[in-house]
Amino acid sequence: MRLSKYFLPVLKENPSDAAIVSHRLMLRAGMIRQAQSGIYSWLPMGFKVLRKLENIVHDEQIRAGHNPMLMPTMQSADLWRESGRYEDYGQEMLRVSDRHGRDMLFGPTNEELITDIFRNNVKSYKDLPMTLYQIQWKFRDEVRPRFGVMRGREFLMKDGYNFDVDKPSAMHAYNRHMVSYLRTYERMGMKAIPMRADSGPIGGDDTHEFLVLADTGESEVFYDSAILDLHLGDREVDYDNWDECAAIFKEWTTPYARTDETHDAAKFASVPIERQMTSRGIEVGQIFYFGTKYSESMNAKVSTPDDGDVPVHMGSHGIGVSRMIGAIIEASHDDKGIIWPEAVTPFGVGIVNLKQGDEEADAACEALYKSATALGLDPLYDDRNERAGGKFASMDLIGLPWRITVGPRGLKNGVVELTSRKTGVSEEMTPELAIEKLVKIYASV
Ligand code: ATP
Ligand code: MG
C-alpha cells in the first residue's frame, strides 16, 4: 500500500477523552473513530489488524476440530424466555421490537440460539461430540463503556459452544479449548494467563479466564511467576487425545493464578514468596463448562443406546477479538507509539523515502516496494511529499515492527537502513539483503 492512497488519519495531539494508552494510540494511529459511546468505526488500519486476529482465531479453532459458522446479531426474545435469561440478563441487554410488536434483542452471547439450532437438527449421540463457533459482533449495554475498544458496547467476540454426550466428554472439550486458546494467544505474540474464575450469569462450575498482564487492566490478579515460563511453542498437539489435552491443562493450571473474584489468600501464601506476584490484568477470553443448564431448560436431548434420551452437556467459550487489540497495545508500546508483534502487524514493513522527488531515491523505493510486495511482506510505502521527521514520527506511531529508510546519501554507497521498531537499532545493508532478512523473519512468525 502507498501511504498517499491510504486512509490513515493520524492525529498529532493526544485526544483528551482517552484515558488509557491503547485508546489514545488507536485514535492517534487512525485505527478507530468513535461513532457513539462504546461504539466504534474501524478505519482501514484498525480493520486490517482485526482481520488478522480473526484469521488466527479461525486457524486455531479449525485446528482443534471446531466448526465455523455465523449466527445473526438480532435474536428472538422468545428463545431467551425459554432459558429464563430474558428477565435475568438485565439492562445490559439491548431490547427492541419490530414493526409487528415482536420482542427482539441484539445478541450479547448465543447460548440460546445455538441450543435451538442444535435441538432442531441433532438427535443422536452418534453426531457428538460437536463444537460450533462463530466470530460475530455482540452488543452489551455496559453501564460504563470506557477505554475505547476494551470495554465497548458493540464488540467483536469469538464465541463457541460444545455439545457432548456426558460430562467426561465435555471436560475433554473444556481442556481442548484451554489448549487451543493458549495457542491462539501465543500466536498473537501475547502471554495470556489462565485463571480460575467466577461463572457469573452464564452459570456453571468450571470456568477459567485468560488474562493479559497490564497496569490498566480492570481485574486485580494474583499468580505464581512460574506460570510465565510456560510455552506451548511448536508442540504438536493431538486435539482428539484426551490425556494429552488434560496434561497440558494440568500444566497450565497447577501454578497458582486467580483474579480477585476467586483469590484464596491461604493458598497463595504457600507459593514461594519470591514467586508471589500481584498485578492487574485484562480479560481477553473465558471458557465455561455448564453441564445441562441450557439443554434441560430448552430440551436439547440426544438418544443414547443405554440411557434413552439424555440432555446434552455443554460449555461455551469466548475470545474478545476487538478487546484483544487494546490488550496487545497496552502490553506493547512506548512513548512514541504502538509496537506491533510481527504476527498481527497491519503491514510487514514501512518504507520511508527521505527525499521524495529525487529520481534515484524514488526509483530505489519503487523497486523495494515491488519486491517486498511480491514476496508477501505487505509493505506500507510512505511516498508522501513530507519532511523526514514527520514520516518517522508517523511510522513510529503506527508501530510497524520494521522500517526501511531510503535516502540519496545511502544510495550513493548502495545501502538502505533497516530499523527495528522494538529496539530502535538500525543497520545499513543493500536493499536486497534487507528484503531477504525480513522474509526470513516473517517466515518464522
Ligand atoms: P467482563 O468481565 O470484562 O465484562 P465478561 O466476563 O462479561 O467480560 P464474557 O461473557 O466472558 O465477558 O465474554 C467473552 C470475552 O469477550 C471476554 O473475555 C472479553 O474479552 C470480551 N468482552 C466482554 N465484554 C466486552 C466489552 N464490553 N467490550 C469488549 N470486549 C468484551
Ligand atoms: Mg468473562
Side-chain angles (χ1 to χ4, degrees):
M1 180 58 70
R2 291 167 199 275
L3 198 45
S4 61
K5 296 200 167 62
Y6 197 53
F7 180 51
L8 187 74
V10 298
L11 305 175
K12 291 216 169 64
E13 304 299 323
N14 268 328
S16 56
D17 55 340
I20 61 168
V21 68
S22 57
H23 188 194
R24 278 200 296 277
L25 289 174
M26 288 182 77
L27 289 166
R28 286 195 53 207
M31 296 176 69
I32 52 167
R33 286 295 180 263
Q34 182 174 307
Q36 290 178 57
S37 169
I39 305 178
Y40 291 86
S41 298
W42 293 80
L43 306 190
M45 200 176 80
F47 178 60
K48 207 160 180 230
V49 178
L50 199 59
R51 275 286 130 91
K52 285 209 162 176
L53 296 190
E54 282 184 62
N55 287 342
I56 293 175
V57 171
H58 275 304
D59 248 31
E60 293 305 327
Q61 286 304 302
I62 290 167
R63 194 198 303 278
H66 306 159
N67 291 269
M69 64 178 293
L70 189 62
M71 286 174 270
T73 53
M74 298 307 296
Q75 301 182 19
S76 148
D78 287 341
L79 277 180
W80 287 70
R81 291 194 174 102
E82 278 190 56
S83 72
R85 281 208 298 179
Y86 190 62
E87 282 71 35
D88 292 354
Y89 218 93
Q91 289 194 302
E92 268 193 24
M93 180 185 278
L94 181 68
R95 299 154 207 256
V96 291
S97 55
D98 69 9
R99 61 165 74 192
H100 307 292
R102 277 188 287 252
D103 294 331
M104 300 171 83
L105 55 103
F106 194 122
T109 176
N110 282 49
E111 282 80 7
E112 283 77 1
L113 187 50
I114 198 81
T115 305
D116 183 52
I117 293 170
F118 181 87
R119 70 180 171 188
N120 292 333
N121 295 283
V122 181
K123 303 286 177 210
S124 161
Y125 78 101
K126 287 184 192 148
D127 295 321
L128 303 185
M130 182 195 290
T131 296
L132 303 168
Y133 81 93
Q134 65 169 354
I135 300 178
Q136 175 64 295
W137 294 93
K138 305 290 184 292
F139 197 96
R140 293 183 187 172
D141 205 354
E142 301 273 356
V143 206
R144 274 208 300 157
R146 55 185 182 152
F147 301 159
V149 301
M150 252 350 169
R151 184 164 295 285
R153 293 196 294 165
E154 188 176 302
F155 59 96
L156 191 61
M157 195 208 287
K158 171 264 165 181
D159 48 319
Y161 308 86
N162 68 281
F163 300 89
D164 288 84
V165 72
D166 54 20
K167 183 166 181 183
S169 175
M171 290 318 290
H172 168 58
Y174 189 81
N175 296 341
R176 192 174 67 232
H177 277 87
M178 166 72 74
V179 179
S180 70
Y181 277 28
L182 292 171
R183 261 233 137 87
T184 303
Y185 298 123
E186 260 191 42
R187 268 192 64 189
M188 292 174 178
M190 298 300 292
K191 175 129 260 162
I193 305 176
M195 303 198 181
R196 178 155 284 288
D198 230 13
S199 61
I202 291 186
D205 318 320
D206 287 282
T207 173
H208 280 84
E209 288 176 344
F210 295 79
L211 285 107
V212 167
L213 301 177
D215 297 340
T216 49
E218 291 182 291
S219 319
E220 192 177 10
V221 299
F222 304 84
Y223 62 96
D224 176 346
S225 64
I227 200 160
L228 299 176
D229 301 329
L230 300 176
H231 301 280
L232 272 177
D234 295 333
R235 215 185 291 186
E236 278 291 327
V237 179
D238 174 359
Y239 282 105
D240 293 326
N241 185 325
W242 288 28
D243 293 342
E244 194 178 341
C245 291
I248 296 174
F249 176 87
K250 189 154 178 236
E251 196 181 339
W252 258 264
T253 52
T254 300
Y256 186 90
R258 294 194 184 191
T259 66
D260 44 2
E261 284 174 359
T262 52
H263 182 51
D264 178 336
K267 278 208 176 100
F268 190 49
S270 65
V271 174
I273 190 122
E274 68 285 1
R275 299 205 321 241
Q276 288 178 18
M277 302 287 156
T278 308
S279 72
R280 302 202 66 85
I282 301 167
E283 182 196 327
V284 293
Q286 185 160 11
I287 56 177
F288 299 88
Y289 163 71
F290 46 70
T292 56
K293 179 178 154 86
Y294 296 92
S295 55
E296 284 195 46
S297 59
M298 295 184 67
N299 202 29
K301 292 185 173 165
V302 290
S303 62
T304 60
D306 302 329
D307 304 316
D309 287 354
V310 300
V312 286
H313 286 250
M314 293 173 61
S316 70
H317 323 276
I319 294 179
V321 180
S322 49
R323 178 182 285 182
M324 193 69 204
I325 298 189
I328 292 173
I329 297 174
E330 288 296 325
S332 185
H333 68 271
D334 62 15
D335 46 4
K336 292 189 227 152
I338 303 168
I339 306 175
W340 290 113
E342 269 125 6
V344 301
T345 182
F347 296 94
V349 57
I351 300 172
V352 170
N353 187 344
L354 289 179
K355 203 165 181 201
Q356 207 71 43
D358 175 274
E359 213 173 298
E360 243 193 291
D362 288 3
C365 284
E366 285 298 327
L368 262 172
Y369 180 63
K370 284 214 179 87
S371 65
T373 305
L375 290 164
L377 289 173
D378 195 12
L380 180 67
Y381 171 25
D382 191 346
D383 58 344
R384 297 167 309 158
N385 229 332
E386 272 221 17
R387 49 180 193 84
K391 289 189 175 184
F392 288 145
S394 299
M395 278 296 173
D396 284 344
L397 173 63
I398 68 173
L400 310 184
W402 298 96
R403 185 184 80 208
I404 299 179
T405 311
V406 181
R409 208 177 308 151
L411 288 175
K412 288 217 166 65
N413 303 318
V415 295
V416 296
E417 207 177 61
L418 180 66
T419 308
S420 154
R421 174 68 181 85
K422 196 168 179 178
T423 64
V425 173
S426 292
E427 271 184 284
E428 287 195 332
M429 61 191 77
T430 62
E432 294 75 23
L433 192 57
I435 295 282
E436 201 178 299
K437 267 196 129 170
L438 292 176
V439 168
K440 266 204 199 114
I441 287 166
Y442 281 101
S444 68
V445 171

